[in-house]
Amino acid sequence: MDLHTVTEVISPAAPGQWRPGDAWMGGGTALFGEPHPHLTRLLDLAAAGWPALTVRDDHVEVAATCTIAELAEGLGRYPIVLQCCHAFLASFKIWNVATVGGNLCAALPAGPMISLSVALGGTCVLIGPDGSERRVPAAEFVTGEGTTVLRDGEFLRAIRLPLDALSAHTAYRRGSLFRHGRSAVLVIGRVEPDGAVSLTVTAATKKPHVVKDLDQLSDWVDDVHGSPAWRRHLTHLYAAQIRAELAA
């Protein structure tokens, strides 16, 4: 979709350049997916040249500009990473353009990079317009459909995924009304160090949840991709299957 109100693209962009009417841009697939008549400039982060993946002592830092293809290639040895990458059901063209950070910032319930980051206990690194850094748990980054904790002028710099979580036993279930349709329910189970199983619920709810008791969930999504009652039923079914699989 053309953003006909945009008159300038700043590339590469850096902290301090943001002003009202600007939008930070990674791959642009989400940004160009719907109208944004309030935008006048795009600040290109992809041109910053950040390394897609950086391995640290206890975590992997995934740059916000890391594409889905780069994530699958670099961390594809971990089953849960590939499963979430394939949840896009997108062509290779999208895989080579869409970014991990863009998927989180779009804050769509069905965003699989949200599912992955939350299920693995990731941390989001945010950079303010003055260059200051703050860190937010991935589970708290998305606050609702299309909304995040990002403040004016802030951008998502990276997502840090703990190595022990990447290596943990996981189980994955995804449901849709159609074989190649948008995710309506996505549940990930992960075995914690103490043996307990954490359940991450996305797509079915307006924001991600890490829970042990599914009955506490109430913000079920209601749209053409599935009714709240159906999403709730499928979530409980998948949770039972995941618990049984991980127990075995």
Side-chain angles (χ1 to χ4, degrees), residues 7 9 19 21 30 50 60 72 81 116 120 122 129 139 163 170 177 183 189 191 216 223 225 240:
T7 60
V9 177
R19 69 190 187 196
W50 301 330
V60 176
V81 173
L116 177 67
L120 296 183
L163 287 172
T170 59
L177 285 174
S183 300
V191 178
Q216 66 184 270
D223 60 17
H225 300 286

Side-chain angles (χ1 to χ4, degrees), residues 89-122:
L89 297 175
S91 70
F92 72 92
K93 294 180 181 179
I94 298 298
W95 269 43
N96 282 280
V97 176
T99 61
V100 175
N103 191 249
L104 267 81
C105 292
L108 298 176
M113 295 298 99
I114 300 171
S115 312
L116 177 67
S117 301
V118 173
L120 296 183

Side-chain angles (χ1 to χ4, degrees), residues 6-147:
V6 172
T7 60
E8 188 177 6
V9 177
I10 307 299
S11 181
Q17 295 178 298
W18 184 89
R19 69 190 187 196
D22 288 354
W24 298 103
M25 180 176 67
T29 56
L31 194 60
F32 283 89
E34 57 185 345
H36 297 283
H38 64 288
L39 297 181
T40 56
R41 295 198 312 172
L42 299 179
L43 306 181
D44 182 16
L45 293 175
W50 301 330
L53 300 168
T54 305
V55 180
R56 307 293 188 188
D57 290 339
D58 61 351
H59 68 271
V60 176
E61 183 167 288
V62 181
T65 52
C66 174
T67 66
I68 306 308
E70 290 172 326
L71 182 70
E73 180 180 359
L75 296 180
R77 62 187 179 277
Y78 300 108
I80 191 60
V81 173
L82 273 187
Q83 288 168 327
C84 287
C85 287
H86 284 291
F88 272 102
L89 297 175
S91 70
F92 72 92
K93 294 180 181 179
I94 298 298
W95 269 43
N96 282 280
V97 176
T99 61
V100 175
N103 191 249
L104 267 81
C105 292
L108 298 176
M113 295 298 99
I114 300 171
S115 312
L116 177 67
S117 301
V118 173
L120 296 183
T123 300
C124 295
V125 180
L126 314 181
I127 304 297
D130 60 353
S132 61
E133 176 184 307
R134 70 181 178 115
R135 302 175 188 177
V136 176
E140 299 174 9
F141 180 76
V142 174
T143 57
E145 291 184 271
T147 61

Side-chain angles (χ1 to χ4, degrees), residues 149-171:
V149 297
L150 285 171
R151 300 166 181 166
D152 286 347
E154 270 190 326
F155 62 84
L156 176 60
R157 170 62 181 85
I159 304 94
R160 295 177 177 174
L161 302 178
L163 287 172
D164 58 352
L166 275 166
S167 303
H169 291 296
T170 59

